[in-house]
Amino acid sequence: MSASSSTKRAPRSAELRVGGFVRLSTCDWPGELVATVFSQGCPWACGYCHNPHLIPPNAQANIAWSWVMSFLDSRRGLLDGVVFSGGEPTLQAALPEAMREVAALGFRIGLHSAGPYPERLAAVLPLVDWIGFDVKAAFADYARITGVPGSGDKAQQSLRHVLESGVACEIRTTVHTGLLGPQQMADLAADLAAAGVAQHKIQPFRAVHAVTQ
């Protein structure tokens, strides 16, 4: 047997780049006690982002996935679930396997996403028990917020996937009054109503937010 064939390959989940980790959160999944994994990297650069250090995909990520799994193993029966947040979790190809490993420990799976990768989001939705989906603005106005042309089309497709999946969800918008005024909010509400969104949560912009590691 060759050396290469006898060497055990590390699981894909080991490639997950973790930019932050919260051991206990009561706010990242309403009604649940969870740990939150903050994945590194996001393709959008919203001016009000409260985790700007997580935007660069190649920034230093000092938390090993093996350590996260070891911690979660010690919290079985104490936490309800694990939320994958970011950054944008669906940017990382290792996300599906990481979710499966966490679910195998008995945890429910939560996800925070803004939907920049509609097909990747659709692929992980069957693994998810709940999703907090961030809608930035009316879809035609997305580029002004994200800095990326065409981002509104991606978000609209992703929202459709979320609503069609039947997964429990919270559709929410962070409102920076310097970016979203009354007319912009009215346009957003019209888009969401047309998409069939029944409930929409408004979150105020927070100037300071710390991620503990």
Side-chain angles (χ1 to χ4, degrees):
M1 180 180 293
S2 67
S4 59
S5 61
S6 62
T7 301
K8 186 176 180 180
R9 185 177 180 181
R12 185 65 180 272
S13 58
E15 300 173 10
L16 193 77
R17 305 190 71 250
V18 181
F21 185 75
V22 170
R23 300 166 188 246
L24 176 63
S25 172
T26 60
C27 63
D28 286 322
W29 183 345
E32 305 289 329
L33 294 176
V34 301
T36 304
V37 177
F38 289 88
S39 61
Q40 186 70 44
C42 182
W44 295 346
C46 303
Y48 58 80
C49 179
H50 66 278
N51 287 331
H53 63 290
L54 295 176
I55 293 176
N58 297 319
Q60 185 72 24
N62 295 319
I63 303 174
W65 178 246
S66 58
W67 179 88
V68 172
M69 287 297 294
S70 178
F71 174 82
L72 293 177
D73 187 53
S74 73
R75 293 301 187 271
R76 288 200 276 182
L78 300 175
L79 296 174
D80 300 313
V82 175
V83 172
F84 290 85
S85 188
E88 171 53 51
T90 61
L91 178 148
Q92 298 202 40
L95 178 65
E97 186 168 341
M99 286 180 166
R100 292 187 185 98
E101 288 188 359
V102 171
L105 293 179
F107 295 105
R108 301 175 70 214
I109 303 298
L111 174 66
H112 292 172
S113 179
Y117 304 105
E119 299 313 311
R120 295 184 191 181
L121 178 61
V124 299
L125 282 172
L127 307 175
V128 171
D129 297 291
W130 173 86
I131 178 171
F133 187 80
D134 295 306
V135 181
K136 307 295 185 180
F139 298 119
D141 198 28
Y142 253 64
R144 183 173 63 87
I145 306 297
T146 67
V148 178
S151 52
D153 292 338
K154 300 293 188 183
Q156 189 171 25
Q157 294 173 43
S158 290
L159 176 60
R160 188 178 305 118
H161 287 318
V162 170
L163 298 177
E164 291 176 352
S165 73
V167 173
C169 63
E170 180 180 83
I171 311 301
R172 69 263 185 108
T173 299
T174 298
V175 176
H176 187 305
T177 55
L179 295 172
L180 296 177
Q183 184 59 57
Q184 287 78 27
M185 291 301 295
D187 293 342
L188 169 58
D191 276 2
L192 295 181
V197 174
Q199 293 184 322
H200 177 215
K201 181 179 179 181
I202 300 299
Q203 301 181 148
F205 164 71
R206 291 175 293 173
V208 178
H209 180 80
V211 177
T212 58
Q213 297 187 3

